[in-house]
Amino acid sequence: MTGCSPTGAPHPPKTAGYSRVTMCHMMLPQDTNPAGIVHGGVVMKHIDDAAGVVALRHTRCSVVTASIDRLDFHNPAFIGNLLSLKASLNLVGTSSMEVGVRVETEDLKTGEIRHTASAYLTFVALDDTFRPRPVPPLILETDEERRRNRQAQARRRVRLAEKSRETSCRTDPQTCQAPPD
């Protein structure tokens, strides 16, 4: 893909602001159920799209969604609402990145804005053979970015521990047993 440096080549660090994005979508009848409430899957797709743009901007290479760590719905969105997705990079590893997305819904008639959903997604950068490739380091400039980075590191530790438990469970079922109540 154009813009990707060869695997192993050094990548200049980038700020979180470099890749940050806000995307907006008008919610239409095809986005909703018969009650006029936007389907969760529609919101999820827009979350994945916004997070993917952030990861692509940071790497300027092909990226794929590896996981959605957390997706919490707080308030519904309705036909005619404007869905705004604010996405930014929280953490960068060797080939993976955590992107946080905040979704807000604006009632365009009243101006009321509600927090609709929040999500954390992990993306992996890929080389031309679809193997993980190194990504540019992340420069944290603000206290807010440093806080988000600390929280993302904690989520990453939990994710890695869970993967380790799952692997252990597959190889030794005795390690999977739930503790007695």
Side-chain angles (χ1 to χ4, degrees):
M1 178 175 210
T2 307
C4 283
S5 58
T7 302
H11 301 279
K14 297 177 183 174
T15 64
Y18 176 83
S19 60
R20 189 173 292 126
V21 67
T22 299
M23 299 172 73
C24 297
H25 304 275
M26 175 72 80
M27 295 295 96
L28 301 172
Q30 65 265 25
D31 299 321
T32 67
N33 64 23
I37 300 170
V38 175
H39 291 289
V42 169
V43 176
M44 288 171 59
K45 180 191 182 317
H46 290 307
I47 287 170
D48 192 39
D49 289 344
V53 168
V54 168
L56 185 57
R57 272 185 167 175
H58 184 75
T59 63
R60 298 295 179 188
C61 292
S62 295
V63 296
V64 291
T65 310
S67 68
I68 298 178
D69 195 42
R70 206 49 214 259
L71 173 54
D72 297 309
F73 290 96
H74 304 288
N75 289 289
F78 300 96
I79 292 175
N81 286 170
L82 184 66
L83 201 71
S84 297
L85 300 100
K86 300 172 183 180
S88 62
L89 205 53
N90 293 334
L91 176 70
V92 167
T94 303
S95 62
S96 66
M97 301 150 279
E98 183 194 272
V99 180
V101 182
R102 178 183 171 92
V103 183
E104 295 177 344
T105 302
E106 180 180 355
D107 181 322
L108 294 172
K109 291 179 183 173
T110 66
E112 179 187 5
I113 296 174
R114 292 180 317 278
H115 182 193
T116 300
S118 294
Y120 300 106
L121 299 87
T122 300
F123 280 79
V124 174
L126 302 177
D127 65 16
D128 292 337
T129 63
F130 304 107
R131 303 293 306 153
R133 64 175 305 279
V135 297
L138 181 63
I139 299 169
L140 303 171
E141 298 179 299
T142 68
D143 289 340
E144 177 72 6
E145 290 170 354
R146 286 185 276 280
R147 178 191 62 79
R148 288 180 185 189
N149 183 264
R150 283 190 306 274
Q151 291 174 328
Q153 288 176 34
R155 283 188 295 275
R156 183 173 190 272
R157 285 190 295 274
V158 169
R159 275 193 307 273
L160 292 176
E162 180 64 24
K163 278 186 180 182
S164 178
R165 277 192 300 278
E166 288 173 0
T167 300
S168 176
C169 187
R170 279 192 300 273
T171 58
D172 181 7
Q174 298 291 8
T175 62
C176 301
Q177 295 179 1
D181 288 334

